[in-house]
Every structure is written in C-alpha cells, then in structure tokens.
Amino acid sequence: MNFDFSDDQKTLKSEVRRFLDARCPPSASRAVLEDQATSYDAALWTAVADMGWIGAVIPEVYGGAGLGYIELCAIAEELGRAMAPIPFASTVYSFAEALLMAGSDAQKSALAPGLVSGAVIGCLATAESPGALAAENLRARVDDGRLTGAKQPVTDGDIATHAVVLARDQHGPGLFLVDLNAPGAVRETLRTLDPSRSAARIMFHQAPCERLGAAGDGLHLLSAVLDRAAVLIAFEQVGAADRCLEMAKEYALGRYAFGRLVASYQAIKHKLADVYVKNELARSHAYFGAWALSANAAEMPAAAAAARLSASSAYDFAAKENVQVHGGMGFTWEADCHLHLRRSRQLGLVLGGPPVWRDRLARILDQSNAA
C-alpha cells in the first residue's frame, strides 16, 4: 500500500514550495522578528490568499477551493518548511475548522468568504492560566449573548479579526464566535520567544457573541478542533524539521575544521542520522493522522495525539541539533538556526504542550484497551 502523496498532490506541493522559496525566504521571518511594529507579513498573507490556500478545504459554495485535507496537509508542510510569518495555522487549522464543523449556515455564509479572501483572520481563545485546560477552571462567562472574561495566551490574537472562544454559560462550556473589532474586546500583545507568530491577552467586557454548535457541547467540539489542528500543525513541524536537517547537512558539507570536512566526522554523521530517524518517525505518524483526518476515521483522536507528540519531538530535536552542527556560529543572531529553534518551541506549545498530549494519548489508549 502506498501512503505517499499522489502525483497531483506532489505537483501542488512542488508549486507551493516554489512560491514560498521566492516569496518567503528566512529573511521574511527575520524582518517580522526585528520589526516590533508588526506581527506578521501582510503582503505574504494577501499573496497566500490569492493563491487559494486559505480556502483549500472551504466548500466552493462559500468561495473556497473545495480540496481535500490531504492537499491542505501538503500545503502545511511547505509553510512549516518556510517558517511563513503569517496567521495561517490559527485561521485555517483552528478557527476555520471550528466554523465548518459547528457553524450555522448563516455563520458560514457571513465569515467563510472573508476567510478565503484573507480579510478575516481567526484565532482560538481557550487558555486562561497555566496548566491543562479543565472545565472547572473555566472563568470566562456568557450571559444574554455577552462575553466577559480574559484569555491568554491567544496565538495571533493581536492581529485576528474574529475569535472562537471557550466560555461557560447556563448550559455549561461552549464555543462562541466573537468579532474582535466590535466593542467589548481589548487586546494586549504579549512578548514571546517567536514574535513572528505572535500572541496576545484578550479581555472581554460584555462583548457580543454567537454560539457555535449545540449548547453545552463546547468541550467536545474543542477536542475535535484540537485533533484536526494537531495533525495539520504536525505537517508544519515535519516540514520545518526536514529543513533543519537540510541546513545542518549543507553546512557540514561546506565547512572545514582541522583540514577535514565537518561532515566527515563520525559525531556529526551520527547527529544527522539521529535527526533523520526522528523526522521519518514523525512523518509516519503525520501521514496516519492525515488519513484519519481525511477519512473522518474513528482512530482520529489517537492518530492526532501521536502525530502531535512525534512531530513536536522531531522538530525540537532537529532545531537543537541544527544549532549544534553549526558549531560556534550556530547560536548567533546572524545565523538562521535560531529562527527554527524559536518556531519549534512556539509550535510545541500552541495547542498545549507535550505533557497534555501525552496524557491525552494515554487516556485514549487506556479506554481502547478497556473496551
């Protein structure tokens, strides 16, 4: 059985890479990192929208491309490889998935065309304090269609136009749509390790909101959204980890130390081999997650958790080893290694850290074995 991308999907992947190589070199992420006045590359965001990638899986009736999730996974891998400084993950993997999964026809008609054009930037606001998310710790509240509370950190919350917010009402936890440009929402940009994927604290003061999905079904819906986002972000991490391996290999093959190529030293060979093995393991889990996502399979929760853990570990390891292979210059500002190190830590935490997903996977497997 062939688990690889089809020829058409490989062609799409190749075109995405060609576009990003031209429009999103490492200097694009560095420019956002160094410019404190901006949190993303607005020109690149517009160009990506024009390419139709934001609307890849949005139905054609709303102006989207109507492609499948495998195609979106291929796009995600290349965006990760390029470290694109745009709110693609927040908008497409989290916000759009919540809207498509639980939104009413009216909500989809109002927001989906804006998503496709890039006019709508979405975010997912769930966390309120450190630690695992739990219903008993949820303080944000909705009364009579008005949201009060605070969320932090919210990835891309400082540039988003709309948010899907987890809050409690008289029916229990629910997901709610909020227009962040309407009265009642106040945002504050937070300092993070990777400013090219920014985060914010959002305070809601009687902000108007609309329910997504059924009353009291918020945690179930959120779990499904997180599973989908985990698979897609895993592909970003796999693409970026592969790029770290390429960077390390290219440097090792061009750098001499004590009259020998750095790549000829056994210790360096072992480092590169270890990165390759972890990357391939992560790719296998990501492919399984892509199948589960595209087929809406029952294995989706376990596949998503496994992909999330494996890809986070692979990217973090590849980013660190890339610095090590570059030696004395690897940790400097001028080298691009730190860009991947920053991004690996950001992506490793954006949906909840590895301990959260490890507990999630253990719980799923325990329940499966008990059945």
Side-chain angles (χ1 to χ4, degrees), residues 20 74-84 93 197 233 235-241 243 315 340 343 347:
L20 291 173
I75 293 170
E77 184 175 347
E78 295 305 318
L79 288 169
R81 182 180 186 276
M83 293 184 297
Y93 311 157
R197 292 287 276 270
I233 287 181
F235 272 90
E236 282 204 10
Q237 292 169 310
V238 167
R243 180 56 191 147
Y315 189 18
H340 277 288
R343 182 59 60 87
L347 289 182

Side-chain angles (χ1 to χ4, degrees), residues 323-356:
V323 174
Q324 292 296 319
V325 170
H326 277 73
M329 67 170 291
F331 69 92
T332 63
W333 184 265
E334 289 73 15
D336 289 333
C337 302
H338 69 94
L339 300 177
H340 277 288
L341 187 60
R342 292 168 183 270
R343 182 59 60 87
S344 70
R345 299 298 169 85
Q346 192 272 346
L347 289 182
L349 295 173
V350 69
L351 299 177
V356 173

Side-chain angles (χ1 to χ4, degrees), residues 222-247:
L222 177 62
S223 179
V225 170
L226 292 177
D227 284 344
R228 290 166 175 260
V231 171
L232 293 162
I233 287 181
F235 272 90
E236 282 204 10
Q237 292 169 310
V238 167
D242 278 349
R243 180 56 191 147
C244 287
L245 179 58
E246 291 175 9
M247 291 172 63

Side-chain angles (χ1 to χ4, degrees), residues 98-282:
L99 179 68
L100 293 175
M101 186 186 307
S104 65
D105 289 340
Q107 289 168 334
K108 293 176 185 176
S109 297
L111 291 174
L115 285 170
V116 174
S117 69
V120 172
I121 297 175
C123 65
L124 182 65
T126 59
E128 297 178 352
S129 59
L133 184 66
E136 57 269 21
N137 298 330
L138 190 59
R139 294 188 293 272
R141 186 164 186 88
V142 173
D143 294 297
D144 298 323
R146 300 280 177 168
L147 171 64
T148 299
K151 296 290 181 178
Q152 67 171 348
V154 181
T155 303
D156 296 316
D158 56 334
I159 57 177
T161 61
H162 294 75
V164 169
V165 182
L166 178 68
R168 180 184 297 276
D169 66 1
Q170 67 269 28
H171 302 290
L175 293 183
F176 298 88
L177 270 175
V178 182
D179 183 346
L180 296 178
N181 293 320
V186 179
R187 293 180 272 184
E188 174 189 350
T189 301
L190 300 176
R191 294 185 62 185
T192 65
L193 184 64
D194 182 12
S196 68
R197 292 287 276 270
S198 61
R201 177 185 297 112
I202 307 180
M203 286 77 71
F204 300 101
H205 306 283
Q206 296 290 306
C209 62
E210 299 178 16
R211 184 191 305 280
L212 268 182
D217 203 25
L219 292 180
H220 174 72
L221 288 175
L222 177 62
S223 179
V225 170
L226 292 177
D227 284 344
R228 290 166 175 260
V231 171
L232 293 162
I233 287 181
F235 272 90
E236 282 204 10
Q237 292 169 310
V238 167
D242 278 349
R243 180 56 191 147
C244 287
L245 179 58
E246 291 175 9
M247 291 172 63
K249 184 185 74 172
E250 290 166 3
Y251 182 82
L253 288 172
R255 175 72 174 177
Y256 284 82
F258 304 106
R260 289 175 55 184
L261 274 175
V262 170
S264 69
Y265 288 97
Q266 191 174 43
I268 300 300
K269 293 178 182 179
H270 285 180
K271 283 183 178 294
L272 298 179
D274 289 343
V275 172
Y276 175 80
V277 169
K278 290 183 75 71
N279 286 4
E280 289 304 298
L281 179 61

